[in-house]
Amino acid sequence: MDRIRTAVIGTGFMGRVHLEALRRVENVDVVEVAATSLDKARAAAAGYNVLNSTGDWRDVIHDPSIDAVHITTPNVSHFPIAKAAFEAGKHVLCEKPLAMNVAEAQELVALQAAKKLRGGLNHNLRYYPMVQQMRGMREAGEFGEILVVQGTYSQDWMLYETDWNWRVDPKVSGPSRVMADIGSHFFDMAEHVTGLQVSSVCSDLQTFWPTRKQPKGGGESFSGKLGATGETVDTPIVTEDFGATLFRMGRARGTMTASQVSAGRKNGLVLEIYGTKGGATWRQECPEELWLGHRDTPNQVLLKDPSLMIEPARAYADYPGGHAEGYPDTFKQLFRRFYASISDTSLTPDYPRMADGLRQLKILEAELASHKAHAWMDVPA
Ligand code: SOE
């Protein structure tokens, strides 16, 4: 099998997770790391044994020997980098959200199709084995017709006025924070698992901290008590700390909340689905378990074990029962499938695509419009 030469652009929390996961993809060599400074790029490259580094992402784009790029930079640069990469003939795996708005995302979807390149979007959370088990069981009809979809994505890392990260700046992150950053994971998973599409939304957003104390030296994601200390500037905040959405998926009905201020919840994505024959609940904080709900017999908890999983889901579990697979493994599963589709152009992509990124931005724009108008909004197909 030909080896694929790839580069990672961005060396924050996500860049490091991508670099690590890429080392677990058999036919890929990471040949360059790009950051906003050469020093940062060198430090990340050294940590993952990558030979080349640059302080300018354009060097990667202009290198004809590079086949694919991973974009793990703050949101505002996803669009220009992805556009330049497609124009230069490179496959793109982009962090979410795909772009700052629907119009940019539409341009990327069209460009990728015109160039006949592969484009993946990192909604990695689909690839926990027990999420695939839930999807496989739903496809096999085990829950019957899905009636109710409920859940949350709750975190606490932005609870205090002193918590700071680039995601609070709308010029860098976009007009929404929690709905774009984590609400989008909930909806991607809800649609992926149920096979239904969100058709309309009614949303309420809240910014609890109208100003935050911005550290003069910047702040890291999830730094919590280890966060920056020292001089700060009081900075006005316009993006939401919390959001709630009522939604319709055709005949099915649902509710979700997304929060970065829920004390004690570290990465609490919960998806509950209830159908005419049974229900299921998956929790990211206990990802190896799937709760199965029954009306007339005792409920069950299925612990991940490939030998007990439904056939299509088994391929997403690489370890035996009792050998936990977690967050970093979801990246490995997604990247393997992305690179397999580059090696074998006849493969139908089995990973979130540019179109899925566009879909999430359509849901997001409907949520923002709904909050503003205090009204239900339809989500265009
Ligand atoms: C921050 O809220 C964040 O890192 C998200 O950006 C990720 O997508 C999610 O997986 C964990 O939380």
Side-chain angles (χ1 to χ4, degrees), residues 281-325:
T281 296
W282 177 80
R283 300 172 176 275
Q284 183 169 225
E285 290 179 342
C286 307
E288 295 270 288
E289 294 175 3
L290 183 65
W291 177 90
L292 297 169
H294 308 292
R295 158 70 190 256
D296 298 326
T297 54
N299 297 332
Q300 298 166 299
V301 176
L302 175 62
L303 188 62
K304 184 213 75 185
D305 178 340
S307 73
L308 301 177
M309 288 168 71
I310 200 161
E311 205 283 315
R314 216 171 280 154
Y316 298 83
D318 284 354
Y319 295 92
H323 298 71
E325 285 170 85

Side-chain angles (χ1 to χ4, degrees), residues 62-365:
H62 295 145
D63 181 343
S65 78
I66 293 178
D67 305 304
V69 298
H70 286 233
I71 304 172
T72 69
T73 55
N75 306 349
V76 67
S77 51
H78 293 180
F79 173 72
I81 300 176
K83 187 174 172 188
F86 281 140
E87 279 167 348
K90 300 186 192 313
H91 307 284
V92 172
L93 204 153
C94 189
E95 261 306 327
K96 32 76 33 188
L98 175 57
M100 294 286 267
N101 52 51
V102 165
E104 286 183 355
Q106 276 166 335
E107 197 177 326
L108 290 177
V109 169
L111 182 60
Q112 183 216 339
K115 295 280 183 184
K116 298 191 169 43
L117 292 159
R118 297 298 195 178
L121 189 80
N122 197 41
H123 275 299
N124 58 303
L125 307 184
R126 289 183 186 186
Y127 295 102
Y128 281 99
M130 298 317 268
V131 172
Q132 289 302 321
Q133 171 73 15
M134 204 174 177
R135 174 175 153 94
M137 290 178 73
R138 192 274 305 158
E139 280 178 330
E142 296 199 21
F143 305 123
E145 182 201 356
I146 302 300
L147 305 175
V148 175
V149 179
Q150 290 166 211
T152 187
Y153 200 148
S154 301
Q155 303 176 331
D156 70 1
W157 65 290
M158 295 299 288
L159 175 60
Y160 300 142
E161 192 185 14
T162 45
D163 292 323
W164 184 268
N165 181 258
W166 60 262
R167 288 180 177 82
V168 299
D169 179 354
K171 290 194 291 304
V172 181
S173 186
S176 155
R177 179 159 28 100
V178 300
M179 289 314 209
D181 186 39
I182 52 178
S184 65
H185 276 309
F186 175 88
F187 281 121
D188 180 75
M189 191 180 286
E191 291 195 339
H192 181 68
V193 166
T194 63
L196 302 172
Q197 284 215 319
V198 176
S199 45
S200 36
V201 295
C202 180
S203 299
D204 179 39
L205 311 180
Q206 171 68 319
T207 306
F208 292 108
W209 294 113
T211 61
R212 282 181 181 265
K213 301 208 172 290
Q214 177 176 10
K216 284 200 167 157
E220 265 277 327
S221 312
F222 292 105
S223 49
K225 289 205 305 190
L226 308 175
T229 48
E231 266 194 276
T232 60
V233 188
D234 284 350
T235 303
I237 301 298
V238 294
T239 56
E240 75 281 4
D241 297 312
F242 171 89
T245 294
L246 283 175
F247 57 91
R248 297 181 184 153
M249 295 174 119
R251 209 168 93 86
R253 293 292 183 270
T255 62
M256 66 81 81
T257 56
S259 167
Q260 289 175 336
V261 293
S262 295
R265 285 286 163 225
K266 303 305 171 190
N267 209 17
L269 170 53
V270 180
L271 176 65
E272 305 181 18
I273 61 174
Y274 300 98
T276 49
K277 293 194 197 162
T281 296
W282 177 80
R283 300 172 176 275
Q284 183 169 225
E285 290 179 342
C286 307
E288 295 270 288
E289 294 175 3
L290 183 65
W291 177 90
L292 297 169
H294 308 292
R295 158 70 190 256
D296 298 326
T297 54
N299 297 332
Q300 298 166 299
V301 176
L302 175 62
L303 188 62
K304 184 213 75 185
D305 178 340
S307 73
L308 301 177
M309 288 168 71
I310 200 161
E311 205 283 315
R314 216 171 280 154
Y316 298 83
D318 284 354
Y319 295 92
H323 298 71
E325 285 170 85
Y327 185 75
D329 300 277
T330 62
F331 288 75
K332 176 191 72 176
Q333 295 291 354
L334 195 158
F335 295 177
R336 275 191 186 158
R337 287 169 170 79
F338 176 69
Y339 284 100
S341 81
I342 293 175
S343 299
D344 180 351
T345 49
S346 69
L347 283 182
T348 306
D350 173 20
Y351 48 83
R353 291 176 263 177
M354 298 279 120
D356 296 283
L358 170 59
R359 169 102 200 111
Q360 286 310 317
L361 283 160
K362 286 182 180 172
I363 296 175
L364 180 68
E365 288 194 357

